Amino acid sequence: MAFSTETIDPGAVTAIQDAALEAARRRGASDASVRVEEIRTQQVSLRDGDLESTVDDAQIGVGIRVVHEGSMGFAASVDLKLSGIPRLVDQAIDAAILTATARRRNFEQANEPSHGVIDWSSQYEIDPSVISLADKVAHLSHWSDRLLGAPGISHVSALVHSVTEVKYYADMAGTVATQRRVRIQPVVEAVSLDADGAFETMRTLAPPAGRGWEYVNGVGWDWEGELALMPERLIEKLRAPSVEPGRYDLVIDPTNLWLTIHESIGHATELDRAMGYEAAYAGTSFATFDQLGRLKYGSSVMNVTGDRTVEHGLATVAIDDEGVAAQSFDLIREGVLVGYQLDRSAAAIAGYERSNGCAFADSPLHVPIQRMANVSLQPAPGEGPTTADLIAGVEHGIFIEGDKSWSIDMQRYNFQFTGQRFYRIEGGRLAGQLRDVAYQATTTEFWGSMEAVGGRSTYLLNGAFNCGKAQPGQVASVSHGAPSALMRGVNVLNARAEGGR
Amino acid sequence: MAAHDGLAPAHDVIEAALKASRAMGCVVIVEETSDAEVRFANNTMTTNGQRRSRRVTVVSVRDVSGGVASGVASRDGAFDVVDLVREAEVSAGSSTPSSDAADLVGGPVASDFAEPAHETSLAIFDHIVHDLGGAFDRAEHAKSTLAGFVSHSLRTTYLGSSSGLRRRFVQPTGSFEMMSRAAGSASAWTGVGTPDFVGVSVGGFEEELSRRLAWAKRTIEVEAGRYDVVLPPTAVGDLMAFLYFYCGGQDAEDGKTVFSKAGGKTRVGEQLAALPFELRSDPREQGIECAPFLAISSSSPVASVFDNGIELGLTKWFDHGRLNALQYHRAGAARSRVDFAGPIDNLALELPGARGSASDLVATTERGLLLTCLWYTRVVDPATLLLTGLTRDGVYVIEDGKIVGATNNFRFNQSPVDLLANAAEAGMTVRTLSREFGDEFNRMAMPPLRVHDFNMSTVSPAN
């Protein structure tokens, strides 16, 4: 598929990379890497069928990271003028020298061999940036109108957000990579008001995906099917009884569980956090490095992997932003913590021989830091149970679909999540919707209560475009695969009662 | 101006774009940003960076069947600005009529319009980086660890319109944050927002953090429940930020927010706070000055690209404890027969006449908790603006007006609207930095508050 947005001439990129690495060598840098990137971001939003806003943005820039006498320095600019590159290298070296006055330990990195020349693209059919604004508006209008035409629907918002990026990487080891990635997130949300002014909302459960415009056309998700059911589901939710707080058995759909995985496992198994390198901002982790191989994270049916290789994954690449080849690795095996997500710096500090490739910078103007791989809970081996099988094993509980509100503490212990839809389970069957459900737990207690995971048929790759970390803030996209899961005896709150109503 | 020819002066880019425009209206915004930052953790320097960026936005306005439409295109970097104008024109031409359409804003030509953009560098906080080295050594000696962030940015915004308007504004933004964790487990954080780092010192931060860590030498377990709490200005800022993020007038009329009233109405005019609080945004507010005109690159429910360049002035969101205004762009304001109220990049809460600091509020509290930092705050229920979040880096127990020790962290479930309703006492408004939102929303002035019935939903084992 042709890539519509490349305005940077690859020959010019090679000249910039050569100039940067040469200048870094001349200034005595022991290591250097240079990224030239072009990122095209588009968003179209409709409110009640009318076009509300559009974003059509492209960013081009160059970022250079050097290691100089044991210090790291980074400088970046949107100005790609070749004659300005040595000055940018000077700025990176100056940053390394300035911070060396207060540095108390050397910046070190785990080794990574050269991977030579790489040319890689994510899996997609249609680059969303080639679709005209009129076509995008028409598609969202169609979705909006079919909901607005349904009885009981008061308001509808619809948007599609897409990113098309090309990243050129080169480092002193000799790795030279061109990577093209496409991702898309369509979202439709409906609002229903009752006569007293009470309201409920419902959002599509479709995950953001490492796919192109074909996703909107139905490749990978049944949009028509989901939108057809939304009005009646929303009306039922608006009329549903408010949940009685207490302990419940929960069957959690992957459309909800992915976010709990993200927050309570994904971030907690980032080694930079576990070692205190995010202490002042994103936080640390209860899963400290001294507990590796020993910490009982959850029940024996819990197996979690990190990977940057899965097809359509939002964190999937060929190499990371430190030149480390994409890998797949275990984080939790049979409920025990067995691994962490690493960048080269954290790997070196902890004594690993090699990074597992989790460095990422969200823009050419930001320094690469450790970011999340696609962290996924594995389904049961073989056929495994269906979601209906899991529900059948619950006498009195709640089935939860879709993510909504989320919050977790800075050591990733105590969390509270809500959702899009909650169904009462009575005698192994669904018995109508509930509202105002929030579940609150401590990470190890929650995963320890996981009695069963669903089989491959329940497995879905979900994810987010908006994972934040670090200062200055960086935003990353990441996918999380999950099966349905059965948890016993989880604390459920009533969100209205919490608000004193 | 091809992709690799460097960056032409911003005002030249704007004139070239306006000259190239074939549409009935055109607005061009150039934002030149220069950033420098360093980070530290585990008593050593970690990452750093110096950056220069430029973002050019072209808004094109065209007649389309049934009305007027806007088209917007933005580019970060060096691009052909004429191509960008054409792209915005195509986008406008293929759009449906904009519901936020309004006449472009006219006005004067700023005398400094052709002045160059300002640049910063790591040198502006050289003294802080230098002093951090000594602080790391002292921390190492005391078996504690320091972590934090220092950043400075200068953004020069240029705005030109086919209506003749030419405006320019330089926005300095800086912050210094530091956290200390004692050998045992107690931690404390402090931070400041500053345009220029004048009067900001590592030593001052070390003293404040030592004072709080000393409070934590005694620990007292406290169960979940509703408590009288004293919130320092930074934590008040964390919660008030949500009032500001959710004060859209159209969303309220659509029945979707805490400010909605049945029948498509809003709660403007209702007395929501017992005390006569004023919650305001004002580009000229001393110490947190910000851009006095609108410059945005996409429309939203509260702001329109058609309004670019419009003067922004003092807006009281709450006045004498009453909800006084919600955000509307001009078209929305006209439809709803209210005044235009655009987004302004600062926020101040004040109880007129209030004096004293958080320490003074502690002194008048018989029994309660002193919170310091709030974290990971998210909306649970938009109908009440119920928020959930956690305390971090220091919760202290107050008995008979004195701090008697530190306690565990909590998850809270609390609405900032209820917070204002339940506020019993406020101190003097001072410039503060929100712990969670300070990176994005730097300019806040808040008072400390004493609040009844703050809902601590569960104890968090995090410390």
Side-chain angles (χ1 to χ4, degrees):
Chain A
M1 181 71 218
F3 204 73
S4 68
T5 54
E6 278 171 50
T7 57
I8 314 178
D9 163 27
V13 171
T14 303
I16 289 166
Q17 290 170 336
D18 291 349
L21 296 177
E22 171 54 30
R25 274 189 202 98
R26 211 169 44 237
R27 288 291 311 265
S30 58
D31 188 39
S33 62
V34 51
R35 280 175 297 117
V36 177
E37 299 184 24
E38 177 171 0
I39 305 171
R40 185 83 184 262
T41 304
Q42 296 178 314
Q43 185 166 313
V44 179
S45 311
L46 269 61
R47 185 189 185 97
D48 293 338
D50 293 331
L51 182 60
E52 180 175 77
S53 83
T54 62
V55 172
D56 181 355
D57 199 349
Q59 180 183 46
I60 284 184
V62 54
I64 298 168
R65 194 180 80 164
V66 299
V67 182
H68 179 266
E69 294 181 357
S71 278
M72 190 274 279
F74 180 77
S77 176
V78 294
D79 189 353
L80 299 193
K81 188 172 55 187
L82 190 58
S83 62
I85 297 301
R87 182 170 169 257
L88 207 55
V89 172
D90 286 345
Q91 282 182 6
I93 299 272
D94 289 349
I97 291 171
L98 173 76
T99 54
T101 61
R103 175 174 51 81
R104 292 298 180 262
R105 278 184 292 287
N106 281 359
F107 178 80
E108 287 176 6
Q109 303 185 87
N111 288 328
E112 182 70 13
S114 168
H115 297 288
V117 176
I118 293 171
D119 196 331
W120 179 88
S121 172
S122 68
Q123 301 85 358
Y124 66 95
E125 292 168 25
I126 305 165
D127 176 356
S129 68
V130 307
I131 303 296
S132 73
L133 175 63
D135 285 351
K136 287 179 177 168
V137 171
H139 211 104
L140 294 176
S141 292
H142 165 69
W143 284 355
S144 300
D145 291 348
R146 65 177 293 174
L147 289 179
L148 285 166
I153 301 297
S154 311
H155 298 286
V156 174
S157 58
L159 69 86
V160 62
H161 180 185
S162 62
V163 181
T164 304
E165 62 180 38
V166 56
K167 188 177 285 214
Y168 301 92
Y169 173 91
D171 63 26
M172 257 187 197
T175 298
V176 180
T178 303
Q179 302 185 84
R180 296 172 181 80
R181 301 203 300 166
V182 167
R183 58 186 182 271
I184 191 162
Q185 179 169 37
V187 180
V188 182
E189 186 172 68
V191 182
S192 185
L193 304 171
D194 71 13
D196 305 327
F199 72 95
E200 275 292 351
T201 64
M202 193 170 284
R203 203 192 63 217
T204 44
L205 305 188
R211 296 179 185 270
W213 188 255
E214 69 277 5
Y215 188 52
V216 173
N217 291 332
V219 176
W221 192 258
D222 177 13
W223 292 94
E224 295 300 322
E226 182 170 26
L227 293 170
L229 290 172
M230 227 159 105
E232 62 186 80
R233 284 171 165 169
L234 176 52
I235 305 301
E236 187 194 350
K237 184 180 180 185
L238 184 63
R239 293 172 184 162
S242 199
V243 69
E244 210 39 64
R247 296 222 167 239
Y248 288 85
D249 293 345
L250 302 181
V251 175
I252 305 181
D253 191 75
T255 52
N256 179 274
L257 194 60
W258 74 268
L259 185 52
T260 311
I261 293 167
H262 175 90
E263 301 294 0
S264 71
I265 307 171
H267 282 303
T269 57
E270 295 177 312
L271 188 57
D272 62 336
R273 287 185 64 122
M275 294 193 305
Y277 287 91
E278 280 285 338
Y281 186 67
T284 57
S285 173
F286 74 94
T288 49
F289 189 59
D290 56 316
Q291 300 180 80
L292 182 66
R294 294 190 292 117
L295 176 68
K296 187 85 178 124
Y297 216 107
S299 71
S300 60
V301 299
M302 182 187 196
N303 291 287
V304 179
T305 57
D307 89 80
R308 302 203 66 186
T309 61
V310 65
E311 203 171 57
H312 306 302
L314 295 169
T316 297
V317 293
I319 62 153
D320 77 354
D321 289 347
E322 292 182 323
V324 179
Q327 296 161 46
S328 182
F329 46 90
D330 285 348
L331 293 169
I332 296 165
R333 204 182 299 134
E334 294 181 355
V336 176
L337 174 73
V338 295
Y340 286 96
Q341 302 163 74
L342 310 171
D343 64 6
R344 289 175 64 182
S345 165
I349 293 167
Y352 284 93
E353 277 188 13
R354 191 186 176 204
S355 161
N356 52 27
C358 295
F360 175 74
D362 68 352
S363 126
L365 305 189
H366 282 148
V367 69
I369 52 171
Q370 190 275 311
R371 293 312 311 266
M372 210 181 287
N374 304 302
V375 170
S376 300
L377 176 67
Q378 297 308 305
E383 282 279 291
T386 63
T387 303
D389 292 340
L390 295 175
I391 290 169
V394 173
E395 188 51 39
H396 176 66
I398 302 171
F399 172 55
I400 302 177
E401 288 183 310
D403 66 273
K404 196 172 180 190
S405 170
W406 73 102
S407 174
I408 189 164
D409 69 48
M410 70 287 179
Q411 285 181 329
R412 306 279 145 171
Y413 273 119
N414 174 296
F415 57 70
Q416 179 175 310
F417 293 95
T418 64
Q420 292 294 326
R421 285 193 290 275
F422 317 98
Y423 292 88
R424 214 153 49 87
I425 304 173
E426 290 300 339
R429 292 168 180 277
L430 297 186
Q433 287 192 56
L434 290 167
R435 54 191 280 181
D436 309 323
V437 173
Y439 64 96
Q440 201 183 69
T442 295
T443 296
T444 46
E445 172 202 347
F446 178 80
W447 293 110
S449 78
M450 185 163 69
E451 184 179 288
V453 288
R456 179 58 60 180
S457 70
T458 72
Y459 189 84
L460 182 70
L461 196 63
N462 279 266
F465 269 23
N466 62 339
C467 172
K469 187 178 175 182
Q471 290 179 302
Q474 294 199 37
V475 179
S477 296
V478 59
S479 289
H480 298 287
S484 294
L486 167 60
M487 316 291 177
R488 295 291 185 188
V490 179
N491 185 30
V492 167
L493 311 180
N494 181 304
R496 293 265 153 160
E498 287 295 309
R501 266 69 181 174
Chain B
M1 196 177 65
H4 318 300
D5 294 349
L7 305 175
H11 65 279
D12 286 347
V13 172
I14 289 179
E15 301 304 343
L18 291 173
K19 197 171 161 209
S21 170
R22 297 172 192 151
M24 69 184 249
C26 183
V27 181
V28 187
I29 301 165
V30 178
E31 291 162 295
E32 300 262 15
T33 311
S34 168
D35 296 278
E37 68 256 334
V38 298
R39 222 179 167 202
F40 54 98
N42 289 331
N43 293 337
T44 190
M45 305 306 294
T46 57
T47 58
N48 59 63
Q50 301 195 84
R51 289 175 276 135
R52 185 183 171 202
S53 63
R54 162 184 285 185
R55 179 182 173 86
V56 182
T57 296
V58 176
V59 179
S60 196
V61 178
R62 291 177 67 174
D63 271 323
V64 293
S65 167
V68 172
S70 66
V72 186
S74 302
R75 296 291 178 268
D76 292 46
F79 289 85
D80 187 324
V81 74
V82 176
D83 286 352
L84 196 59
V85 170
R86 295 291 165 259
E87 214 165 306
E89 287 171 352
V90 168
S91 170
S94 60
S95 272
T96 48
S98 304
S99 58
D100 59 337
D103 292 338
L104 292 184
V105 177
V109 175
S111 57
D112 61 356
F113 188 65
E115 296 284 317
H118 290 202
E119 277 201 63
T120 191
S121 76
L122 292 170
I124 190 165
F125 43 70
D126 202 2
H127 63 292
I128 291 180
V129 174
H130 181 266
D131 291 350
L132 279 173
F136 295 154
D137 295 339
R138 285 185 288 280
E140 202 78 40
H141 186 72
K143 296 194 166 41
S144 59
T145 51
L146 299 177
F149 183 55
V150 197
S151 79
H152 191 245
S153 151
L154 288 172
R155 170 168 294 176
T156 311
T157 301
Y158 300 82
L159 185 148
S161 163
S162 56
S163 63
L165 184 68
R166 300 288 184 276
R167 302 196 76 158
R168 176 180 176 276
F169 183 76
V170 182
Q171 180 73 70
T173 302
S175 65
F176 175 30
E177 300 171 50
M178 189 156 89
M179 134 175 211
S180 178
R181 182 172 290 279
S185 68
S187 60
W189 174 95
T190 190
V192 65
T194 171
D196 52 18
F197 294 90
V198 171
V200 176
S201 78
V202 173
F205 271 34
E206 283 181 280
E207 264 173 50
E208 174 61 22
L209 295 175
S210 302
R211 190 168 74 101
R212 293 200 212 160
L213 291 178
W215 290 340
K217 286 198 171 131
R218 181 181 167 207
T219 56
I220 303 160
E221 275 187 33
V222 177
E223 291 178 357
R226 290 184 179 265
Y227 292 96
D228 274 14
V229 300
V230 173
L231 294 143
T234 172
V236 174
D238 280 314
L239 296 173
M240 287 304 116
F242 280 92
L243 270 190
Y244 196 43
F245 299 160
Y246 286 82
C247 76
Q250 189 59 51
D251 280 343
E253 290 182 31
D254 286 354
K256 296 195 276 199
T257 79
V258 66
F259 301 124
S260 299
K261 201 155 80 178
K265 297 195 176 65
T266 74
R267 297 174 73 186
V268 167
E270 279 186 30
Q271 191 75 34
L272 297 182
L275 297 173
F277 283 110
E278 184 171 297
L279 182 70
R280 62 177 180 262
S281 298
D282 181 0
R284 285 165 194 85
E285 179 98 28
Q286 209 182 350
I288 52 172
E289 293 88 350
C290 65
F293 60 90
L294 187 75
I296 56 170
S297 55
S298 70
S299 290
S300 74
V302 298
S304 164
V305 292
F306 288 91
D307 297 352
N308 267 317
I310 196 168
E311 186 76 17
L312 300 172
L314 168 64
T315 310
K316 295 182 181 180
W317 311 109
F318 277 66
D319 190 14
H320 292 92
R322 274 183 315 110
L323 180 65
N324 186 61
L326 295 170
Q327 282 186 24
Y328 288 89
H329 46 60
R330 283 182 299 163
R335 272 195 297 274
S336 298
R337 297 168 195 271
V338 297
D339 291 336
F340 160 79
I344 296 167
D345 195 19
N346 67 19
L347 189 67
L349 178 71
E350 186 173 19
L351 183 67
R355 289 281 167 270
S357 64
S359 302
D360 296 314
L361 294 186
V362 167
T364 57
T365 302
E366 200 177 311
R367 198 176 160 71
L369 300 172
L370 169 66
L371 310 186
T372 58
C373 299
L374 305 183
W375 190 248
Y376 225 118
T377 304
R378 297 288 184 273
V379 175
V380 178
D381 182 6
T384 55
L385 200 56
L386 178 70
L387 307 176
T388 193
L390 297 121
T391 61
R392 80 183 274 190
D393 299 322
V395 179
Y396 306 99
V397 178
I398 307 166
E399 280 175 12
D400 298 324
K402 291 198 172 56
I403 303 225
V404 294
T407 187
N408 38 270
N409 281 305
F410 296 94
R411 169 173 298 287
F412 64 86
N413 278 317
Q414 179 73 39
S415 163
V417 180
D418 295 343
L419 187 87
L420 285 184
N422 295 337
E425 200 178 346
M428 190 169 74
T429 293
V430 293
R431 168 143 203 196
T432 192
L433 183 72
S434 152
R435 175 81 189 267
E436 184 162 10
F437 304 106
D439 286 350
E440 292 295 317
F441 194 53
N442 177 275
R443 281 166 284 279
M444 282 191 165
M446 294 286 146
L449 294 179
R450 187 152 58 80
V451 182
H452 293 313
D453 283 337
F454 195 91
N455 179 14
M456 297 301 188
S457 180
T458 46
V459 168
S460 164
N463 62 38

